[in-house]
Amino acid sequence: MGRGRVELKRIENKINRQVTFSKRRNGLLKKAYELSVLCDAEVALIIFSSRGKLYEFGSAGMNRTLERYQRCCYTPQDANAADRETQSWYQEVSRLKSKYESLQRAQRHLLGEDLGPLSVKELQNLEKQLEGALSAARQRKTQIMMEEMEELRRKERHLGDINKQLKNKLEAEGQGSFRAIQASWDSTALVGNTFSAQSSQSNTMDCEPTLQIGYHHYVPPEGATIARSVAGEGNFIQGWVL
């Protein structure tokens, strides 16, 4: 009994699809090899799986077969178009190379290098360029400095406002503290005055009159001279004072 005809459509089952791909791929690669050997043909086979994996076979080398394919497929018109495109690309590369060398030379001139071959007119143009660049740099510098000064002024005003607020707050708190301290001082002074009055009254009451009989012993001060007697009998110290 022969195998039934297989309907050509996408296999929905993923596993069956992968198994079928592996079997048919191997069979196709085998057929390509057999064709190249049996018929002495140059065969190239390229297969990409659904996951992007590459499978290839080239009896004479893949690159060689592809180059041969390109030579066979291109017509003379296409070849002429390719030559014209290649020529245009060469011209574009040459133009860009010349421009690059010119820019490098101009940069060296601006840096003060390789000025020997320049003429007077070229040097004058270079001088004007440098003066213009210097003027633009100075203007930009001035602009940046003005912006920084404005920013510093803004910060100064902000700090001044904060300082003023702190000063007012400190003055308000200081007045309250001063009033409290003054009240404390007044109460302390009142208590001290009362204590002094009581002490003076106590001292007055403690004092009593005393009676002294006789005379006080006289002690002469330092540097005082000792009196001599008129009769010349000898020196003596006055023992009492009237």
Side-chain angles (χ1 to χ4, degrees), residues 16 22 29 99 102 117-118 169 186 198 206-208 210 228 234 240:
N16 294 338
S22 299
L29 291 173
K99 187 176 181 180
S102 177
L118 298 181
K169 185 177 179 181
D186 294 340
Q198 293 177 357
D206 292 339
C207 293
E208 295 180 356
T210 57
R228 298 179 179 272
W240 54 275

Side-chain angles (χ1 to χ4, degrees), residues 39-51:
C39 301
D40 195 17
E42 185 176 349
V43 180
L45 177 63
I46 299 175
I47 301 174
F48 285 99
S49 66
S50 59
R51 298 181 179 178

Side-chain angles (χ1 to χ4, degrees), residues 86-144:
T86 303
Q87 188 67 23
S88 65
W89 280 113
Y90 280 139
Q91 292 176 359
E92 183 69 15
V93 169
S94 300
R95 186 181 66 82
L96 292 176
K97 186 176 180 181
S98 301
K99 187 176 181 180
Y100 173 72
E101 293 176 355
S102 177
L103 291 174
Q104 279 190 332
R105 186 167 53 254
Q107 183 181 6
R108 290 195 299 270
H109 292 164
L110 291 174
L111 294 175
E113 300 175 358
D114 298 339
L115 299 179
L118 298 181
S119 62
V120 177
K121 187 175 182 180
E122 292 176 346
L123 291 174
Q124 290 177 353
N125 294 331
L126 181 61
E127 184 179 4
K128 291 180 180 179
Q129 292 179 3
L130 292 174
E131 289 178 353
L134 183 60
S135 176
R138 287 175 177 173
Q139 291 179 359
R140 179 57 182 168
K141 178 183 176 182
T142 304
Q143 182 181 359
I144 293 175

Side-chain angles (χ1 to χ4, degrees), residues 175-195:
Q175 289 179 359
S177 301
F178 178 74
R179 291 174 182 174
I181 294 172
Q182 188 175 9
S184 177
W185 286 352
D186 294 340
S187 61
T188 304
L190 181 60
V191 172
N193 293 333
T194 304
F195 179 77

